[in-house]
Amino acid sequence: MKVAEHIKNLKPYQGGKPIEELKRELGIEGKIIKLASNENPLGPSKKAQEAIKEAASGVNLYPDGDCYYLKGKLSKRLGVERGNIIFGNGSDELIELLYRAFATGEDDEILYCYPTFVEYKIIGMSFNKKLVELPLKDFSYDIDKLLENINKNTRIIFLNTPNNPTGTIIKKSDIERVISAKEEDTLIVIDEAYYEYAIAEDDYEELLELYKHEGVILLRTFSKAYGLAGLRIGYGIANEEIIDYLNRVRPPFNVNSVAQAAALAALDDDEHIKKSVESNKRGKEFLYREFERLGIKYVKTYSNFILFDVGEDADSVYNKLLKKGIIVRSMSGYGYRTMLRVTIGTMDENEMFIGGLREVLNV
Ligand SMILES: Cc1ncc(COP(=O)(O)O)c(C=O)c1O
């Protein structure tokens, strides 16, 4: 089979095993907790669950390819026109569509600081793009360095705020500096997957109005605070020209009907978001306190996960936690050899995680 070198060099995504399978393999009798993918531990809103059940009887029909009702509700909610919104099969798909629509030149460069959301890199590699990865500074985007690296070939700049996996944010004034400095044909992607958690913090600035700039798109998702990761639905907000081009490369039925119904109902359940954000805050304070008590360094987060430093081999700590039924994420693959990332769970999960960690680290 003739396959391009850059495709041969890709490594397939290694998904985690189903929890039941893991239990069997590791011989774990008790509970398993998954704190590895920054999902909402409270689950989806009850209203969304009802809508999912109702939508089930209609899945013989193709979904509404335009997400008509959802777009209407979201546009009112955000105060933007329908033409400024696009939905994707998760914001993952929108990242891919951005590459497909806008990074079509041979010399195109993709610019971001790293570690960040790894899909910018994986999708970029699948499109054989030149990836310009700059190191984070103190776990945060290094905007001065980023500005120095913008050139006429820079096609997409990914700004992730809060940044996964570090939880740090980029100041609005810094994003504005990037917008002012960019070349005319550069697209700036402001990925706010964790927006609902971040905006609950006093010093997180609302960035929505930045979509009005030429060449800027904001990405948000229903996968995190809304608790709908399994249904795959995210959205982008940009000027009509960008949305129009994205629609040209978008598969016609990219967002399934159950996801649309669930997201529509979830938008009506502000109480669930409030509860989720409050639970996250309590969990975060608990984990900060425990980390401090145990002398474990961590990075202050604006999100629903925390990056922490165990001062010893992260993979080994990861495996020992796994044997106790606690699934977190080792950051060794990002070059953080002694760091792991934990999703903030329910209080029971947080306590089980800290208990397991204390045993593994002997502290
Ligand atoms: C920063 C960031 N962007 C995008 C995504 C993708 O989210 P979705 O489930 O909407 O594809 C994630 C998921 O972890 C993320 O962390």
Side-chain angles (χ1 to χ4, degrees), residues 90-92 117 160 164 191 193-194 221 223-224 232:
S91 41
D92 270 354
F117 184 46
N160 186 198
N164 176 12
D191 183 348
Y194 302 93
T221 182
S223 295
K224 304 299 175 184
R232 315 301 303 123

Side-chain angles (χ1 to χ4, degrees), residues 102-266:
F102 300 110
T104 50
E106 273 212 351
D107 301 324
D108 288 353
E109 293 180 12
I110 311 300
L111 180 61
Y112 51 85
C113 289
Y114 197 79
T116 188
F117 184 46
V118 75
E119 284 298 308
Y120 310 149
K121 180 190 186 112
I122 293 173
I123 299 174
M125 285 166 72
S126 79
F127 281 94
N128 204 17
K129 291 295 131 191
K130 178 174 175 195
L131 304 173
V132 182
E133 288 182 359
L134 309 171
L136 295 177
K137 190 173 157 194
D138 299 328
F139 301 106
S140 301
Y141 257 69
D142 185 346
I143 296 297
D144 290 332
K145 265 274 159 348
L146 195 96
L147 292 176
E148 282 169 22
N149 280 275
I150 297 177
N151 65 55
K152 65 176 183 5
N153 290 329
T154 308
R155 200 58 58 230
I156 302 180
I157 302 174
F158 286 103
L159 302 177
N160 186 198
T161 183
N163 184 49
N164 176 12
T166 56
T168 54
I169 58 172
I170 309 173
K171 286 203 303 244
K172 187 175 180 194
S173 56
D174 278 338
I175 298 179
E176 285 167 336
R177 281 165 69 207
V178 182
I179 295 173
S180 310
K182 81 178 187 67
E183 297 282 332
E184 195 183 334
D185 291 330
T186 308
L187 181 73
I188 297 178
V189 181
I190 305 169
D191 183 348
E192 286 191 294
Y194 302 93
Y195 168 79
E196 294 79 12
Y197 294 111
I199 200 69
E201 301 287 334
D202 293 339
D203 53 346
Y204 189 79
E205 300 158 283
E206 175 60 59
L207 303 176
L208 180 64
E209 61 153 18
L210 298 178
Y211 86 92
K212 292 179 187 153
H213 290 274
E214 290 278 317
V216 172
I217 184 164
L218 281 97
L219 299 182
R220 293 181 184 172
T221 182
F222 286 95
S223 295
K224 304 299 175 184
Y226 283 99
L228 298 176
L231 286 176
R232 315 301 303 123
I233 176 164
Y235 58 96
I237 310 150
N239 69 32
E240 290 190 6
E241 189 191 7
I242 293 177
I243 299 294
D244 178 37
Y245 284 122
L246 290 173
N247 273 322
R248 295 176 197 213
V249 296
R250 174 176 70 79
F253 303 119
N254 61 328
V255 180
N256 72 74
S257 48
V258 181
Q260 291 186 38
L264 196 63

